Amino acid sequence: MIRLKRKALCIAVSSTVAMLGIQGQAQAQESDTAVLEEVTVLGSRIKRKDFVSNAPVATLGSDQIELTGTVNTESLLNTLPQAVPGFDRSSNNPGDGTATVDLRGLGAQRTLVLVNGTRATPTGSNGVVDINTIPTALIESVEVLTGGASAVYGSDALAGVVNFNLKDDFEGVEIGTSYETTEQGDADIFNLDITVGGNFADGRGNMALNFSYTDREEVFQSSRGFARTSLGDGTDANGNLILEPSGSSGVPATSIFAAGLEDFSSNTGVIFGQDGSVRPFVDSGASNDLFNFAPANFLQLPQERYQATALGHFDINEKTTAYGRLMFTSSSVPAQLAPTPAFVTSTFTLDGNPFITPEAQQVLSDAIGDTVTTGEGDAAVTDLVDSDGDGIADTATALVRRRLLEVGPRFSDDDFTSYQFQFGFRGDLAASWTYDAYVSQGVVRNSNTQLGNINSDRFQQALLLDLENDPTGGTCANPSTNGASSACAPVNIFGEGNISQAGADFIQTAVSSTSEYEQTIYAANFAGDLFELPGGTAGASFGIEHIANDFNFAPSQDLAAGTIVGFNGAPPVSGSFRVDSIFAEALLPVARDLPGAKSIDLELAFRSSDYTTIGEVSSYKIAGSWAPTDEVRFRAGFNTAVRAPNVLELFAPQGEGFPGATDPCAAEGNPTGAVSEICQATGVPANVVGSAALNLPAGQVRTLSGGNPDLKEEEADTFTIGAVFTPTAIDGLTVSVDYFDIEIEDAIANFGGGGANVLNTCFDPTDPAGGAGSAFCNVINRRADGTIDFVSITSQNVAEITLKGVDILADYNFDLLGGLARVAYLGTYTEENDTVPFEGGDTIECAGKFGNICGEPVPEYKHRMTFGWTGDKLNAQLVWRFIGSVDDDDDGTDFAVESIDEESYFDFSASYQVSDNYSINFGIDNLLDTDPTLLGDNQEQANTFPATYDVFGRTFYLAAKASF
């Protein structure tokens, strides 16, 4: 029987970085005189020989990256139960072309990303790292430490740390290629990697170069039956909530909703025929007038990525090593949405308009015709503005809803170019002390271009006609170019397909923007032995660090002014801050090999940082472990952590957002009598309360949010306690159980917890924080017809976040069928995930929830379990990903789908070593071809949450590698 070294094939689990621990044990068995190399463990800078960590660390090895066919690392990280999916390949709307990691669902801005233990350069003003910039082929392992780590690594590490360890001392040539496609023959991903490396100067130095190319093809929602039609909530003949075809009231034929139309249309809405006539708008049922915006949207974002990476080190002498790293990435990630829905309050020519039938002119004049009021008080008289006295107003004003098919789909192309270099020296000092000093600089540039937007001013200009000189409607009342390349051309929005090419050319506008994030770091760290304790030699580490962050976002004129309709307006943003830090750690082995105390260790850390924005802050760590025997080890840790506000939170002017929400005053909100009273008291006309005229376009509310230069730091307390079991009676088994408790105070959040929660609180008659005149109602801005224009929210230190739960990790290795079998389990039970959006506010409970308030599903339980087998040439594994059930988070609204059942996904993969130089890898993801649960008004996109639930179906991948 072949005897195999026990290698970590999956998630390393134990009190240590178990992948290294198992290898180390195997090596020690080969030679009684083997000496374990000192290494650092994530969460500390002190080197140690026992690989032991006082906090749970999950590790994904390079074998997992290869076996699972991983091209973009976020796809693998998102399978870990400690992670809630951030932006990924399915993030079309919302999304920004990046890939992010979000530990514990606390926000990507609270997860610190490291490369070889040092900070990666952020991508945008929110300080979040695009992990697309990290070369997948050079990743040796990915370590995930959850819980506060600010005392060791500084700001941003409230939720935890993700560290990408890159391969060192690479020798030879390695060429790898992979191809992935679904059972339906789409969602193709091609990847090519070439790595070349070798030693030089008699082994004193090593240099490695890697070149990588990735091509990911687009997939439209129209390619999947469950995503082809936008779904919403409706009712059947018995009044029961059901899912039905839905969409947007912004339609290609144009619709208008107004209270004055109630005698013509029961829901106060009309839609135009191609001849300019009007009829009642059908807003529900299997056959309705809503626009299905789904087919044109990307389900998988296309990507083309080029990467080049150079790594090297050189031993100058026995005590000094120079090292360096240079990473370059060019990544293009477009996004596509359905053509622009123009929801614009506009005044248009009515009387005599050749684009509108006389009958329709009369209906609109009676409902929305422009008037003039003369006199005051009881003597006031309101009359139509009717210059020819024919009973039809000259003009009308309303919120027109037009889907601009003639302008084409909305297309946003993000081109990212990033580089980060690091150069430093490390080596030995006197006695046992070592040093590591480096400088790092990174720059990420983004160039964004957008097509499919229109200019709102020109749109309104093109609706007013010069009928006196041109009764055919071919001339604008104001013929100026107004920033366009040609004179004004009228747009006939009254009927589908009626806008001329000249009109479309006049109103459309192409916008662009550039941004640049630059980060410079100078750091030095010293580590070594202090003195002897009963348990061994005390170790220490201390150092200094300077970080400079600069960001600038420069939009084109229309984008900056917010005069575009289509994508969101974005004003210019620029800002910078500096931080100087000192930090220190100590590892104290209190006892060894005593009765009832095989080992007792204490770990201390402290950091003091001085920011140019918020001043001086500090954080500390106290952790310890007690092993009464070789079979059990107890550990606990308490961390204080801080997060300084980022550039976006500090300096951003007001910009637009469109989160999912429901207007409680609309038909979709089904207002009660008490709610109706609040609606009317806050400016909603009584005759439209509860009508479809107020329904939010596409179930989204427009929000305006911006920065706040007076923000201070977030503060968090993190407590963990657990135990690690390695029973000698079961050789190869390791189990750890850890309880975590994270409490964040002064969390930076939009006022009121975001647009959806502001609406719910304002119109909740039982909530003392809501009601007419409250701070929540005062930030809701409505138009004269009662529809919501925008909700104003700004960043404030107002929220409190509490997260509690248990992580369970298990790893079991045993001999089977001439090889080594392995079962690895990583599970998380979330007991509490609560947010108090402001002082005195109601607690938002998100454990086991999903929806418009909590966002991405946060199941109470989820796990990743791997069954693997390794033989002489064959590796095979089956992964079981389990996602627990979740319920909708909005107790005040009934949805057609109030819960999503538990879901299991199974992924199979195998690799075969054909010869010493060649290997192949094959895999199938979503083996059972499981479709997602369909949602309506409480979905994110594609009728589901596509980052959590698989939307691509059974997927195959094949990879090959040649090594020389």
Side-chain angles (χ1 to χ4, degrees):
M1 182 176 71
I2 300 172
R3 301 296 299 175
L4 298 171
K5 293 182 181 179
R6 296 191 169 184
K7 294 177 61 180
L9 299 178
C10 306
I11 300 174
V13 290
S14 78
S15 61
T16 72
V17 180
M19 179 179 64
L20 297 176
I22 292 171
Q23 288 178 340
Q25 292 163 9
Q27 292 165 0
Q29 292 166 1
E30 292 175 16
S31 172
D32 293 336
T33 60
V35 178
L36 290 176
E37 179 186 0
E38 290 186 329
V39 299
T40 56
V41 176
L42 186 63
S44 175
R45 287 187 170 89
I46 301 174
K47 291 187 176 182
R48 58 194 78 184
K49 295 181 180 180
D50 57 7
F51 305 102
V52 174
S53 169
N54 286 322
V57 177
T59 302
L60 295 164
S62 59
D63 52 350
Q64 272 299 287
I65 294 174
E66 293 179 7
L67 265 176
T68 57
T70 299
V71 175
N72 299 91
T73 52
E74 79 277 3
S75 64
L76 183 57
L77 289 172
N78 285 342
T79 67
L80 299 180
Q82 301 102 320
V84 171
F87 287 160
D88 69 353
R89 60 174 174 159
S90 68
S91 299
N92 187 54
N93 182 33
D96 59 6
T98 64
T100 62
V101 56
D102 179 5
L103 293 179
R104 304 291 191 200
L106 293 175
Q109 74 275 21
R110 297 186 180 98
T111 298
L112 181 62
V113 176
L114 307 176
V115 176
N116 286 349
T118 60
R119 286 175 175 260
T121 304
T123 302
S125 58
N126 60 359
V128 174
V129 173
D130 178 8
I131 57 178
N132 272 321
T133 61
I134 300 169
T136 305
L138 287 179
I139 296 175
E140 181 67 34
S141 65
V142 184
E143 300 168 301
V144 179
L145 169 67
T146 52
S150 289
V152 177
Y153 298 111
S155 182
D156 304 330
L158 269 68
V161 178
V162 177
N163 181 41
F164 294 85
N165 290 307
L166 303 185
K167 296 176 181 177
D168 197 5
D169 289 323
F170 183 88
E171 293 185 74
V173 177
E174 186 174 276
I175 302 174
T177 185
S178 65
Y179 179 74
E180 175 180 317
T181 189
T182 70
E183 191 171 63
Q184 300 190 36
D186 59 12
D188 299 352
I189 302 176
F190 171 77
N191 190 75
L192 174 66
D193 281 290
I194 302 174
T195 305
V196 180
N199 295 329
F200 60 92
D202 297 324
R204 292 167 58 194
N206 179 270
M207 176 69 73
L209 301 174
N210 170 262
F211 304 93
S212 176
Y213 173 74
T214 301
D215 183 17
R216 186 174 68 199
E217 296 297 323
E218 75 273 4
V219 177
F220 291 94
Q221 286 184 209
S222 59
S223 67
R224 295 295 184 273
F226 62 82
R228 188 173 298 138
T229 301
S230 177
L231 298 178
D233 291 356
T235 55
D236 61 16
N238 298 319
N240 300 313
L241 285 168
I242 59 170
L243 291 179
E244 65 180 19
S246 183
S248 170
S249 59
V251 294
T254 301
S255 67
I256 294 176
F257 286 76
L261 291 167
E262 58 187 353
D263 292 336
F264 184 80
S265 172
S266 60
N267 61 18
T268 72
V270 297
I271 186 171
F272 288 86
Q274 198 166 25
D275 61 353
S277 61
V278 293
R279 63 170 174 81
F281 189 95
V282 180
D283 63 354
S284 62
S287 298
N288 57 58
D289 291 322
L290 297 170
F291 177 75
N292 179 24
F293 50 77
N297 288 2
F298 283 149
L299 191 63
Q300 172 171 282
L301 301 177
Q303 179 188 37
E304 188 172 32
R305 180 179 64 181
Y306 298 87
Q307 290 181 299
T309 306
L311 303 169
H313 59 84
F314 178 71
D315 296 334
I316 298 174
N317 53 48
E318 292 183 354
K319 292 189 174 183
T320 304
T321 298
Y323 65 92
R325 178 179 77 237
L326 176 62
M327 299 192 304
F328 170 83
T329 299
S330 174
S331 178
S332 175
V333 185
Q336 180 171 300
L337 303 177
T340 289
F343 289 84
V344 182
T345 299
S346 304
T347 299
F348 55 89
T349 298
L350 182 60
D351 191 7
N353 191 325
F355 306 145
I356 307 173
T357 65
E359 295 79 8
Q361 291 178 27
Q362 188 66 64
V363 171
L364 296 175
S365 178
D366 294 342
I368 58 174
D370 288 333
T371 60
V372 61
T373 300
T374 57
E376 298 180 358
D378 294 339
V381 177
T382 299
D383 296 306
L384 282 178
V385 179
D386 180 12
S387 56
D388 61 5
D390 64 354
I392 297 177
D394 294 349
T395 58
T397 300
L399 176 68
V400 299
R401 311 177 185 212
R402 170 72 182 210
R403 182 71 56 166
L404 294 161
L405 299 184
E406 296 87 347
V407 175
R410 286 169 287 171
F411 191 81
S412 175
D413 191 5
D414 283 290
D415 290 318
F416 294 95
T417 303
S418 70
Y419 77 85
Q420 182 174 11
F421 84 85
Q422 185 182 65
F423 179 76
F425 296 93
R426 58 176 177 250
D428 299 327
L429 297 172
S432 63
W433 283 81
T434 63
Y435 72 93
D436 186 350
Y438 68 89
V439 57
S440 172
Q441 185 178 50
V443 175
V444 179
R445 297 186 178 95
N446 172 235
S447 175
N448 174 266
T449 56
Q450 296 178 5
L451 302 176
N453 292 303
I454 67 164
N455 179 283
S456 59
D457 293 339
R458 295 203 293 269
F459 178 78
Q460 296 179 73
Q461 177 186 349
L463 294 177
L464 292 173
L465 309 177
D466 181 6
L467 296 181
E468 184 176 348
N469 295 306
D470 185 358
T472 66
T475 305
C476 298
N478 173 11
S480 68
T481 60
N482 196 9
S485 58
S486 59
C488 177
V491 292
N492 176 7
I493 64 171
F494 307 105
E496 183 173 351
N498 288 343
I499 297 178
S500 67
Q501 186 61 53
D505 292 343
F506 176 71
I507 62 175
Q508 66 182 331
T509 181
V511 300
S512 62
S513 65
T514 59
S515 68
E516 179 176 288
Y517 199 114
E518 181 175 355
Q519 183 179 79
T520 303
I521 303 175
Y522 300 94
N525 180 66
F526 304 88
D529 298 338
L530 289 178
F531 44 77
E532 292 298 319
L533 289 173
T537 304
S541 172
F542 67 91
I544 58 175
E545 184 179 63
H546 170 81
I547 303 177
N549 294 278
D550 297 275
F551 178 78
N552 182 67
F553 172 73
S556 61
Q557 182 177 349
D558 278 355
L559 189 62
T563 55
I564 64 168
V565 178
F567 287 102
N568 300 344
V573 180
S574 64
S576 63
F577 63 90
R578 308 288 185 268
V579 55
D580 294 300
S581 303
I582 57 173
F583 52 87
E585 290 182 71
L587 177 62
L588 307 176
V590 178
R592 284 290 187 280
D593 299 321
L594 298 178
K598 193 68 178 178
S599 68
I600 300 177
D601 294 307
L602 182 64
E603 193 174 351
L604 307 173
F606 176 80
R607 173 181 285 256
S608 178
S609 301
D610 188 8
Y611 286 82
T612 56
T613 50
I614 60 173
E616 188 171 336
V617 298
S618 60
S619 55
Y620 64 88
K621 175 178 74 171
I622 302 174
S625 65
W626 166 47
T629 69
D630 288 331
E631 295 185 335
V632 61
R633 177 171 168 266
F634 300 99
R635 60 188 178 189
F638 179 79
N639 293 263
T640 63
V642 296
R643 185 182 76 87
N646 54 50
V647 172
L648 180 70
E649 294 163 335
L650 286 168
F651 307 118
Q654 283 205 336
E656 292 179 306
F658 290 87
T662 299
D663 185 349
C665 298
E668 61 190 4
N670 192 25
T672 63
V675 173
S676 297
E677 291 180 4
I678 301 176
C679 295
Q680 295 176 52
T682 54
V684 181
N687 58 350
V688 294
V689 173
S691 75
L694 302 183
N695 284 353
L696 293 173
Q700 297 174 320
V701 64
R702 179 178 177 232
T703 61
L704 294 181
S705 59
N708 179 357
D710 295 325
L711 290 174
K712 61 180 182 179
E713 71 278 5
E714 297 180 341
E715 297 181 349
D717 292 335
T718 301
F719 173 69
T720 60
I721 185 170
V724 183
F725 305 94
T726 53
T728 56
I730 308 177
D731 185 35
L733 175 65
T734 301
V735 178
S736 70
V737 180
D738 290 274
Y739 170 80
F740 59 86
D741 184 336
I742 302 174
E743 297 183 5
I744 303 175
E745 295 183 350
D746 295 323
I748 299 170
N750 289 330
F751 170 77
N757 197 61
V758 166
L759 291 169
N760 290 343
T761 304
C762 167
F763 296 102
D764 184 352
T766 66
D767 193 332
S774 68
F776 285 83
C777 289
N778 289 342
V779 300
I780 301 172
N781 294 266
R782 292 185 181 271
R783 303 178 182 91
D785 61 3
T787 57
I788 294 177
D789 188 6
F790 63 89
V791 178
S792 180
I793 51 180
T794 55
S795 298
Q796 300 179 21
N797 288 103
V798 292
E800 295 181 7
I801 303 172
T802 302
L803 185 68
K804 299 178 181 179
V806 177
D807 286 330
I808 304 173
L809 300 87
D811 190 76
Y812 181 43
N813 296 268
F814 55 95
D815 294 327
L816 179 69
L817 301 176
L820 180 67
R822 184 166 192 240
V823 180
Y825 166 88
L826 176 56
T828 295
Y829 171 74
T830 302
E831 173 189 352
E832 188 175 320
N833 186 330
D834 294 348
T835 299
V836 179
F838 58 93
E839 186 176 354
D842 292 337
T843 299
I844 301 172
E845 299 178 354
C846 289
K849 304 289 187 180
F850 77 99
N852 293 330
I853 299 174
C854 295
E856 206 73 37
V858 182
E860 291 183 347
Y861 173 75
K862 60 191 297 190
H863 76 233
R864 185 182 196 269
M865 195 169 184
T866 305
F867 307 87
W869 184 85
T870 302
D872 185 23
K873 294 185 177 183
L874 176 66
N875 288 349
Q877 74 172 21
L878 179 69
V879 177
W880 174 22
R881 295 180 282 127
F882 178 84
I883 303 170
S885 61
V886 287
D887 298 320
D888 183 77
D889 52 25
D890 189 349
D891 295 333
T893 304
D894 292 328
F895 293 96
V897 181
E898 284 285 337
S899 63
I900 303 175
D901 292 338
E902 61 190 37
E903 200 71 83
S904 289
Y905 296 100
F906 294 92
D907 308 323
F908 173 79
S909 59
S911 66
Y912 183 74
Q913 192 72 36
V914 179
S915 67
D916 290 341
N917 302 108
Y918 301 98
S919 65
I920 58 174
N921 181 38
F922 169 76
I924 307 175
D925 288 341
N926 193 356
L927 199 60
L928 303 182
D929 196 23
T930 302
D931 285 337
T933 298
L934 299 184
L935 302 172
D937 292 347
N938 50 356
Q939 63 172 289
E940 182 189 48
Q941 56 179 324
N943 300 324
T944 183
F945 284 83
T948 296
Y949 302 103
D950 189 289
V951 293
F952 299 104
R954 188 178 292 117
T955 300
F956 304 89
Y957 56 88
L958 179 67
K961 184 170 65 176
S963 303
F964 306 98

